[in-house]
Amino acid sequence: LYADGSLRVKDVMKEFHAGGRLVQYRFGERIDAVGFSLFLKTYLEADDFPADFCQRLFHYFQNAENISRMFNGNRMQRSGVYLKDVSCYFSVLEEGQPRDKLEYFGSIGLTPGSSAERLVIGQEPGSVLKDMMTAMDADSSGAVTLQEWIQGGMNNVPLLVLLGLKMAERDGQHIWRMKHFNKPVYCNVCQSMLLGLRKQGLCCTLCKYTVHGHCANKNPGPCACTFVKSKKQIGIPAHGWVSADCDSSKCHFCNKKIKTLAGKHCVWCQQMRHDDCVNFGSSSCDCGSLRDHILPPWAIYSSSKVTKNGGRFFCHPIILQYVSNIAPIPDTHPLLVFVNPKSGGKQGERVLRKFQYLLNPRQVYNLSNGGPGPGLHFFRNLHDYRILVCGGDGTVGWILDAIDKADLPVRPPVAVLPLGTGNDLARCLHWGGGYEGTDLREILKEVEESSLVPMDRWSVQVISEDPQEIGDPVPNEIINNYFSIGVDASIAHRFHSMREKHPQKFNSRMKNKLWYFEFATSETISASCKKLRDCLSIECCGTPLDLSGHSLEGLAVINIPSMHGGSNLWGEAKKADRDNVSEEEPPDVVTDHDVLKMSSQDLSDKRIEVVGLEGAIEMGQIYSGLKRAGHRLAQTSQITIRTHKALPMQIDGEPWMQPPCTVSVVNIPLK
């Protein structure tokens, strides 16, 4: 084993033979693709090893041997590969240099010095190995030689990092990523400078510990622990000291400058001290300025599980899913953070890493790994915590729906860090229309100082007129923002359909806006939803809504004062009108035009607004501010819409084409 507990090839070989795996998957002395995949997963200790890369590497060994046989006059093709070839290959990588280069290349049928010596994998665009090979290609030749592979430090840890794979998580273990540094940085292991023009080394996401790629397996200092091992350690606040380049910062104990690589910083309170000052002063950590948000390690205690595997009993390493107990810290509101890494391009990935550094990584969840369920389960017994959702409106709706289904003892308040475009809910809650790179500490301060706002949510039921007529699936059962029929849903449906067919044409915010403009223009010309009033009927709490006198192409049922990325279709009531509004609770249904023009929207009044749209041009006028609002039709606590032909519809930006149906919208009471 390596010092960090990772496996060597010889250990994997022993396990294959001892566990009977080789016997199960071999053809004579050969292994097939399944056996090869099992070998890689065992050696790299990675459960999520990409199937496409595994298949590509398997074919590399297979083709190399078949080419060798053809050169020797034997054209018979083999379906498997020799395990000894695979083990030799990885032994070369982990030892740092080949013992006998001729023996190595002879074992896989290659001739030293030939073009085949250059290991070229994943050259086509989109390959999982493209970034890895680019980082290792020192001479920028477009291919990676064996020497470049070895010099790149391609043993276990850097290999996993460059492939973007997850390592087996152990508490106190670094979570590495390749990083480009804009200023001189030194390796915390060998203390020499990281050199190169790009991605000079590995940096721990959790503590910023920095090393060369080839130093990652040379006994690096441990990362900070994120929980305590027993219940006896609960409530004993201790610093989480990690070696760091403190960049000439002043020591919090002696107030003198810290020289390069001569200091440590606490990952919880962000104090910096000289190595010699760590054992002096207070050993108690207060978590610094983020105390209200951080779930510190001394509030989490572990419970290991014993499981059975292949006839043997063993205790799992204590990783996230086996840490299940939280002891509340008085006068704090720990923050449960959900991040959608796909939102906002690379924004989501960067925000995820930053929060893992600022907070305890056990309170920060990547929604691509299992969704919100694990995080909600982990926090469910806390009675005073908050949730921060980092993503678009769809991500916020996903979390709210998960909270509903989790049946939590206490419903926590939800804040939003908007990523990507649109973000109508974030806009009306004053979190802004998109994250602009502000220091996340400032965002956390705003969350701490924010006030609670109750928000109505609405259940929507869509029942087709003809059960035999199959349309698109309805995307949501709950309205958080808006529901619409007609012109705007038609534009959104065209946009989503085109993006599904040609995703490469929608890879930037500017391109998306141009496509929306094109579809809006074509909708203006075609007017596919004109005379909408002849295609549907509306009842508000059982009272029919009169649409005569309006030439409408769209109908919006809105819960919040923002739609289409910032358009307020209901509009603002005039100041004079607002001053004259009666304090009496309004009736369940308001359709009188004079009363409606004095009515303003409220997120928590248990009423939803109905607005008519004349066409795509009017939508553009409202968005640009040339027109105040659409046509106010009603305020109601319940609405039923019956359609007589297939029409485009959308819920919170998710469009679909719906055959004739009945749509019922009712308020969901707060629990």
Side-chain angles (χ1 to χ4, degrees), residues 4 77 96 155 220 228 241 292 308 320 343 349 424 493 549 577 660:
D4 67 352
Q77 301 285 307
N155 40 26
V228 294
W241 296 115
D292 192 49
K308 185 176 181 181
L320 183 61
S343 295
E349 297 176 4
D424 291 294
H493 186 257
D577 294 336

Side-chain angles (χ1 to χ4, degrees), residues 26-39:
R26 72 180 183 181
F27 297 106
E29 295 181 353
R30 310 175 69 83
I31 55 172
D32 61 4
V34 178
F36 181 76
S37 174
L38 183 59
F39 176 87

